Amino acid sequence: MPNSALGLALNALRRKFPDKSDDWIKRVLARLKDVEERRRGEGGASSDGADFYIVKGRPDLGDKQPIYHVWWSQEERRWYCTCYLTGWGQKRAKEICTHAAAVMLYRQYKGMVDGLEDKRVYVASAVVECPSKPGANGEVYAAPFPGKTLTEYAQPRWRVVAISASPVVEIYCGKRPVLKIPGEEMDYAAAKVLAEEAIHS
């Protein structure tokens, strides 16, 4: 992976966990090469049907198991790791383990390959009403947006971040355009990190 993309991803991780030590960051970085992505049909999936990840155990980092499973819980809006099921699990879950953090780092810079890193794109975010996950004229990241009133609960809303090649980002509900927003121009690597942060924060 390009060094600049990795730097962006590491900076994003530091912003997300500002109280973590440099040693913790180094442990996360050391685990990066041990992350493997698994998709549905490849040995199972998380309970919400999402992708999950395998992180190889590292005895030099204190691991007792050969592998750890990490997955995103849509219901609880957080990452989980099988190390949370151990005797020290509650403490690990509260502080976020380096297995889960390595997966977060992996996801943030995944796809930032040569030729894409410096590509200029446009990014826009919005909250829209739609019965199902919205689409866009480009890559779309979407997560349910909790309502504050009975009306908002009755009409599902989504937090959407879209990455588009067009300066005007279009968001769709089904095939119907519901919003057109001027996008903020940035390179693709930064856009991916921004989108991941916004949706999983």
Side-chain angles (χ1 to χ4, degrees):
M1 293 289 179
N3 289 336
S4 57
L6 181 57
L8 281 169
L10 280 170
N11 287 337
L13 191 69
R14 287 190 175 97
R15 290 195 300 271
K16 196 171 188 66
F17 302 106
D19 296 331
K20 293 299 185 182
S21 66
D22 288 342
D23 181 65
W24 186 85
I25 293 291
K26 289 178 182 177
R27 291 165 67 88
V28 173
L29 188 57
R31 293 190 187 280
L32 189 59
K33 66 179 183 297
D34 300 323
V35 177
E36 295 181 12
E37 183 175 358
R38 297 294 176 89
R39 295 190 177 276
R40 301 180 71 175
E42 297 179 9
S46 60
S47 59
D48 60 6
D51 296 345
F52 72 99
Y53 300 82
I54 288 177
V55 182
K56 295 178 183 177
R58 296 273 301 265
D60 57 312
L61 295 179
D63 291 333
K64 305 298 183 184
Q65 302 298 325
I67 61 171
Y68 295 85
H69 286 211
V70 176
W71 67 97
W72 172 257
S73 170
Q74 186 67 35
E75 181 179 351
E76 298 190 35
R77 308 293 302 160
R78 61 168 299 176
W79 289 98
Y80 273 89
C81 176
T82 47
C83 75
Y84 296 169
L85 305 177
T86 65
W88 294 94
Q90 289 186 341
K91 183 175 186 294
R92 285 173 174 261
K94 183 179 179 181
E95 296 183 355
I96 186 74
C97 69
T98 53
H99 307 112
V103 168
M104 295 168 68
L105 182 63
Y106 171 87
R107 284 172 56 88
Q108 286 177 327
Y109 85 133
K110 177 191 172 188
M112 297 177 189
V113 294
D114 292 340
L116 284 179
E117 182 184 8
D118 297 324
K119 177 182 175 182
R120 303 302 289 179
V121 294
Y122 299 86
V123 181
S125 63
V127 174
V128 299
E129 291 183 0
C130 190
S132 57
K133 182 179 177 179
N137 61 338
E139 293 183 49
V140 63
Y141 296 74
F145 188 79
K148 296 181 180 180
T149 66
L150 289 176
T151 301
E152 290 175 349
Y153 274 109
Q155 299 174 330
R157 299 195 302 166
W158 299 79
R159 183 196 305 276
V160 178
V161 180
I163 302 174
S164 176
S166 170
V168 178
V169 178
E170 299 183 26
I171 298 175
Y172 299 88
C173 180
K175 295 183 179 180
R176 177 174 58 90
V178 293
L179 203 59
K180 292 185 178 182
I181 320 170
E184 179 183 352
E185 186 178 6
M186 63 182 69
D187 64 60
Y188 182 72
K192 293 279 285 188
V193 171
L194 178 66
E196 289 279 359
E197 275 194 308
I199 292 301
H200 290 135
S201 61

